[in-house]
Amino acid sequence: MRRDLDPYGGVRPVKVVVEADGGSRGNPGPAGYGAVVRDASNGELLAERSEGIGVATNNVAEYSGLIAGLQAAAALSADEVEVRMDSKLVVEQMSGRWKIKHAALQPLAAKAQELVAKFSRVTFEWIPRELNKEADRLANEAMDAQASASHTPTPAKWTGAQGTPTRILLLRHGQTPLSVERRYSGRGEAPLTPVGEKQALAAAARLASMSIVDSSTPIVSSPLGRAKQTAQAVADATGGAVVVHNGLTETDFGSWEGLTFSEAAERDPELHGRWLSDSSVPAPGGESFDEVHRRVRKVRDELVAEHGGGTVIVVSHVTPIKSLLRLGLDTGPALLYRLHLDLASLSIVEFYPDGNASVRLVNDISHHPSS
């Protein structure tokens, strides 16, 4: 889909903003991209681009969205471009801070760099997904069209995996006052309890004792305090360092934050019932599980791209960890409602370079302190 507007009667703006996104249903699977171009001075929409691109990975689709956005900006004779994307991988690679290791991305990055050279100035900025809604919408519409046009079944993936996998050790944070009372605990801050601190120390000792973990093993944490506190215990035990990734934050439960299950159900009975059965339904003022899954999928892609073939420790929350396990199992959202994850539990999932995956461990709490 191509849409160009001309509110200027032939007089083009000097600087534009390009917002781009891409995705894949299956990774690889039916894929598509979306891009919008706006006047940087007033936010006026100047152009839209979206297209299904067949079977591809998320990263290929994201680069395709960037290229389409830059091409649209060039067609508008823009001089300066500010690119905004929620793909940290593309932003960091195009900014020259990350190497482009994946062979499939190298020609796309080269094409994007050719387009960048046509402008006097191009900057790249990472933005949260909620600020990239229009490009995300266009990409999802393109994926919907791609999927309906030609559905490609995913083959069985439990055999035949090739290459060295990226092993992700998934650790849930320790106990907090809200978890003791079984209250929805999303974006709000709640420190670890003394029990939670003991759980974090025990989990850290467990990870430090593993032969695949050493001081060079990356420790990637949610930005929330309870996760960072747990991650720091791991860093202290392994000699590593904690890096925060906003994509690993817990679901935004909106106005249900701090409520118990019963309190939320009593307050919004109809909505709460739909929320429990439909992963596309957001909490009031919050986000849906589908939105969480999409951002966590991007985190997985970035981790695999940056640490391919290595081991990464991820310290996060129930929903992001379930989403990573769901990606490993290649299953639907029903897993979110049927899988239980204890506090400070350890799970392991491996992602292979050929697209296969293997879940090696789920909800292990054998390291929990006895008291």
Side-chain angles (χ1 to χ4, degrees):
M1 183 273 286
R2 174 182 176 134
R3 183 181 180 219
D4 291 324
L5 307 177
D6 191 4
Y8 297 92
V11 179
R12 301 299 184 180
V14 172
K15 183 176 180 180
V16 298
V17 174
V18 169
E19 299 167 355
D21 198 10
S24 168
R25 305 278 170 76
N27 199 35
Y33 65 77
V36 297
V37 183
R38 302 183 186 278
D39 186 333
S41 65
N42 58 21
E44 188 80 32
L45 178 65
L46 303 178
E48 290 183 347
R49 298 285 191 274
S50 67
E51 184 180 4
I53 57 174
V55 175
T57 65
N58 290 319
N59 295 153
V60 167
E62 288 161 349
Y63 262 107
S64 299
L66 169 62
I67 289 169
L70 291 173
Q71 289 173 332
L76 291 167
S77 301
D79 184 44
E80 296 184 34
V81 180
E82 181 180 341
V83 177
R84 299 174 181 172
M85 301 181 69
D86 58 73
S87 170
K88 189 171 180 64
L89 173 79
V90 174
V91 168
E92 293 297 317
Q93 288 183 343
M94 290 300 297
S95 299
R97 292 186 289 268
W98 289 4
K99 293 183 179 179
I100 306 171
K101 301 176 182 179
H102 201 293
L105 301 183
Q106 291 170 352
L108 293 170
K111 175 63 175 177
Q113 291 289 5
E114 288 178 11
L115 291 165
V116 165
K118 296 181 179 181
F119 303 96
S120 64
R121 176 178 169 82
V122 178
T123 60
F124 291 87
E125 177 187 0
W126 177 87
I127 59 174
R129 171 168 291 277
E130 56 266 25
L131 298 183
N132 201 27
K133 289 182 178 179
E134 285 304 304
D136 178 65
R137 175 183 62 79
L138 291 171
N140 275 284
E141 289 175 356
M143 282 185 280
D144 290 340
Q146 180 72 35
S148 61
S150 176
H151 175 67
T152 304
T154 304
K157 293 185 176 180
W158 61 275
T159 60
Q162 298 182 9
T164 302
T166 304
R167 182 183 291 111
I168 303 180
L169 310 180
L170 303 166
L171 178 63
R172 187 187 173 196
H173 64 79
Q175 185 192 81
T176 72
L178 289 177
S179 61
V180 171
E181 298 179 3
R182 296 184 177 274
R183 296 183 179 276
Y184 287 125
S185 180
R187 302 295 178 86
E189 290 289 7
L192 299 183
T193 64
V195 170
E197 292 174 353
K198 290 181 180 179
Q199 291 173 338
L201 291 172
R206 166 80 181 282
L207 288 167
S209 70
M210 298 174 70
S211 61
I212 56 175
V213 173
D214 58 31
S215 60
S216 66
T217 304
I219 305 167
V220 187
S221 172
S222 154
L224 296 174
R226 56 192 183 275
K228 290 195 294 183
Q229 210 177 337
T230 305
Q232 189 57 53
V234 175
D236 292 343
T238 64
V242 178
V243 176
V244 170
H245 197 307
N246 291 331
L248 290 171
T249 194
E250 179 59 291
T251 307
D252 185 349
F253 293 114
S255 59
W256 291 342
E257 178 74 22
L259 300 183
T260 65
F261 181 96
S262 298
E263 289 169 345
E266 182 177 352
R267 171 177 164 167
D268 301 296
E270 190 274 335
L271 177 59
H272 196 261
R274 287 194 294 118
W275 179 74
L276 287 173
S277 60
D278 186 346
S279 60
S280 69
V281 175
E287 64 182 333
S288 69
F289 288 138
D290 283 354
E291 290 175 301
V292 177
H293 189 69
R294 286 194 291 269
R295 66 171 160 84
V296 171
R297 183 173 59 199
K298 285 182 176 290
V299 175
R300 187 278 308 269
D301 293 344
E302 293 168 12
L303 293 177
V304 170
E306 187 176 1
H307 306 292
T311 297
V312 183
I313 299 171
V314 165
V315 184
S316 188
H317 312 267
V318 169
T319 313
I321 292 175
K322 285 184 178 181
S323 292
L324 286 163
L325 292 172
R326 177 182 163 192
L327 289 166
L329 293 168
D330 192 19
T331 189
L335 175 141
L336 299 172
Y337 308 103
R338 300 186 179 188
L339 177 64
H340 176 78
L341 291 177
D342 284 295
L343 293 159
S345 61
L346 177 65
S347 301
I348 301 176
V349 59
E350 296 177 339
F351 295 101
Y352 287 80
D354 64 357
N356 290 332
S358 177
V359 173
R360 302 294 297 271
L361 186 69
V362 176
N363 197 42
D364 183 3
I365 56 172
S366 60
H367 52 275
H368 272 202
S370 57
S371 60

